Amino acid sequence: MAKILVVGGSLGGLFVANILLRQGHDVTLLEKATGSLDGRGAGIVTHDALAQALRAAGVIVDHTLGVPVTQRVTLGSDGQSLGEIELPQILTSWSRLYHMLKEAFPVGRYLQGKAVKAVSQDTLSVQVRCEDGSEYSGDLLIASDGIRSGVRAQVAPQIQPEYAGYIAWRGVCDEACLSQYTLDTLFDYFGFCLPNGEQMLGYPVAGSGNDTRPGKRRYNFVWYRPASENEELVSLLTDDDGHYYPIGIPPLKVSWKHIAHMRTVAREILAPQYAEILEKTAAPFLQAIYDVRSEQIVFGRIALMGDAAFVGRPHVGMGVTKAGDEAMVIAKHINNLGATPDALQAYSDERLKLGQQVVARAQYLGRYMQAQGSKGSRDAENLKRNAGTVMAETAIDISDLLAQGRAVPESAH
Ligand SMILES: Cc1cc2nc3c(=O)[nH]c(=O)nc-3n(C[C@H](O)[C@H](O)[C@H](O)COP(=O)(O)OP(=O)(O)OC[C@H]3O[C@@H](n4cnc5c(N)ncnc54)[C@H](O)[C@@H]3O)c2cc1C
């Protein structure tokens, strides 16, 4: 039995901590935040690999995981369908996954208010010091402390998030608020709307208390919009009292002026179904979109995983599945090689290139959206072709493509 430290108690950290605990290791998880992390996420597209990782983490996966959809649709600005494709998927929510994984992990091993400040290692162990002065040591440290990873900042400060040039408005709207027209033409679909240079997508998720009954669900949306880094982004990340949040504005602090403007634009350029959803969403929030591409993810007894290792733009719909995959691979190699630097190196050998491919695919999907702006896609035929490609490529299971090294189509190189 090895002593393993996990930094970060969100989905990635909970995956690896649960799986390693079930392999018999002495796992301690250090999480900076105090209280529940709930409320910070919205919808999550599931893939087969996500269900496998959940099972490995000790979670029972059944029909309560999420809301099934069978079809995708793209709506034009007049609300009419521009095309549909069949693509069955289960859509869940960040909060559902967090609760399932958190309940599977012993409370006494999930230490909160533990902001890791310094990490060091020698030939036998790794040590961490937290801001509150407490210290921990172990055989290995797995860092799943997110896009702004403090562990990564110490072992590989050159790896930095890079702004993609656009933001995403996000939120969930109660099904019960919506008109019959929107329920009939959009609600049961994984839906898209493609104004020039922008992309709106959405899908149904469980409602309050994980209720998946018709009438009780919610519609989750993500609306990608360009925003210049130095002016528009700074303004969007500034609250009504003039406070600027450079690394992400808390959802409830988003300025009402930006929300009002966003809704006005929605009425002008989006399908009326989406405009209605945005009007009726109580607290839309926004997130700047970044890429993180690591050249190295293992440093002796320290490994990076989840968003600390790679962040692919959300078009790829892989963040949580990737974290689950990485957790399973780390655990497999520790099982085979013991809690050693060799086990972590084997994890890197298996996952480094895959992580880089996920980032490349996500950039390809984003570039495609950005290019639409300059390609005159208001032409009806062009728009239909774009709609077909976007529906077929966004947030799909790419495990086969990754295995074949074909995450980005040849034609896009
Ligand atoms: C708009 C949008 C849509 C998305 N859609 C999808 C989707 O459809 N499907 C999907 O799979 N993924 C999606 N994702 C991505 C997904 O949310 C993440 O990739 C996933 O949660 C893995 O993150 P993580 O656990 O590695 O890091 P995080 O969730 O960022 O957690 C990091 C944790 O580390 C803690 N921490 C930070 N610093 C320290 C420290 N110094 N000491 C201790 N603790 C610390 C933080 O408090 C936090 O709890 C989406 C993301 C966005 C922005």
Side-chain angles (χ1 to χ4, degrees):
M1 178 175 78
K3 214 170 153 194
I4 298 175
L5 301 175
V6 173
V7 182
S10 169
L11 302 184
L14 281 166
F15 266 123
V16 78
N18 269 308
I19 298 173
L20 290 170
L21 186 78
R22 278 160 182 77
Q23 283 184 357
H25 299 294
D26 174 6
V27 182
T28 302
L29 188 152
L30 305 170
E31 166 55 45
K32 172 170 79 171
T34 51
S36 171
L37 304 182
D38 208 353
R40 47 177 19 220
I44 301 286
V45 181
T46 74
H47 306 291
D48 290 348
L50 179 68
Q52 272 177 39
L54 286 168
R55 290 194 184 97
V59 168
I60 295 168
V61 180
D62 59 21
H63 68 282
T64 63
L65 179 62
V67 177
V69 296
T70 55
Q71 285 194 292
R72 293 183 169 196
V73 66
T74 300
L75 301 177
S77 56
D78 58 359
Q80 297 293 313
S81 167
L82 289 171
E84 296 184 18
I85 63 168
E86 198 173 308
L87 212 163
Q89 277 181 315
I90 309 280
L91 292 325
T92 187
S93 66
W94 192 94
S95 134
R96 172 82 177 129
L97 296 177
Y98 170 69
H99 282 290
M100 292 195 297
L101 287 165
K102 182 100 190 320
E103 277 155 27
F105 195 69
V107 177
R109 291 179 176 276
Y110 189 103
L111 309 186
Q112 296 204 255
K114 298 292 179 188
V116 169
K117 194 174 161 194
V119 294
S120 56
Q121 57 181 315
D122 51 40
T123 49
L124 291 177
S125 68
V126 55
Q127 304 85 35
V128 307
R129 188 155 34 82
C130 298
E131 276 173 13
D132 65 1
S134 55
E135 295 184 356
Y136 301 85
S137 68
D139 299 300
L140 297 178
L141 181 151
I142 316 294
S144 194
D145 53 344
I147 187 168
R148 307 271 170 194
S149 167
V151 174
R152 189 187 67 222
Q154 291 194 30
V155 294
Q158 73 285 2
I159 303 169
Q160 293 286 338
E162 282 182 34
Y163 179 55
Y166 50 99
I167 57 105
W169 280 100
R170 304 175 63 194
V172 285
C173 179
D174 286 341
E175 180 179 6
C177 298
L178 293 172
S179 66
Q180 199 56 47
Y181 170 63
T182 294
L183 293 174
D184 291 344
T185 54
L186 179 62
F187 191 86
D188 289 322
Y189 290 87
F190 193 134
F192 295 84
C193 185
L194 307 172
N196 275 3
E198 308 195 12
Q199 189 180 107
M200 168 60 111
L201 65 83
Y203 46 80
V205 294
S208 173
N210 194 39
D211 202 333
T212 53
R213 288 174 297 166
K216 305 287 182 185
R217 301 166 295 178
R218 292 177 175 144
Y219 202 76
N220 168 79
F221 67 83
V222 185
W223 183 12
Y224 299 102
R225 309 209 66 210
S228 62
E229 185 165 14
N230 292 332
E231 287 179 21
E232 288 164 306
L233 184 61
V234 172
S235 171
L236 287 164
L237 297 179
T238 302
D239 71 15
D240 289 313
D241 299 315
H243 191 99
Y244 170 49
Y245 301 85
I247 62 169
I249 184 163
L252 298 179
K253 288 288 180 184
V254 177
S255 166
W256 68 267
K257 292 170 196 148
H258 289 310
I259 293 175
H261 177 67
M262 177 272 287
R263 287 181 171 137
T264 302
V265 178
R267 287 196 294 274
E268 289 163 4
I269 68 170
L270 292 180
Q273 296 92 324
Y274 278 115
E276 180 187 354
I277 286 168
L278 292 174
E279 286 292 337
K280 291 180 170 176
T281 295
F285 59 101
L286 64 89
Q287 197 149 359
I289 303 299
Y290 289 92
D291 303 312
V292 175
R293 186 183 187 280
S294 293
E295 295 295 342
Q296 189 179 349
I297 52 173
V298 166
F299 306 83
R301 293 181 173 274
I302 299 172
L304 306 177
M305 63 163 284
D307 284 7
F310 302 98
V311 176
R313 304 176 192 181
H315 317 284
V316 74
M318 275 290 289
V320 180
T321 300
K322 182 180 81 61
D325 275 344
E326 289 164 350
M328 288 205 295
V329 172
I330 289 171
K332 175 181 78 180
H333 290 300
I334 291 176
N335 197 36
N336 293 341
L337 298 168
T340 59
D342 285 350
L344 296 188
Q345 190 52 47
Y347 153 68
S348 171
D349 293 345
E350 189 171 336
R351 290 298 312 189
L352 181 70
K353 289 222 155 41
L354 291 182
Q356 292 172 345
Q357 278 196 64
V358 169
V359 178
R361 171 146 184 114
Q363 286 171 331
Y364 154 71
L365 294 173
R367 269 200 304 272
Y368 178 83
M369 174 194 76
Q370 289 171 295
Q372 283 175 342
S374 56
K375 279 190 182 161
S377 52
R378 285 201 189 283
D379 165 72
E381 279 313 307
N382 226 342
L383 192 53
K384 275 186 193 157
R385 262 198 305 279
N386 286 343
T389 311
V390 169
M391 285 194 290
E393 291 189 335
T394 301
I396 55 167
D397 190 340
I398 56 165
S399 46
D400 289 344
L401 294 176
L402 289 176
Q404 296 157 13
R406 293 193 298 116
V408 177
E410 285 288 323
S411 55
H413 285 291

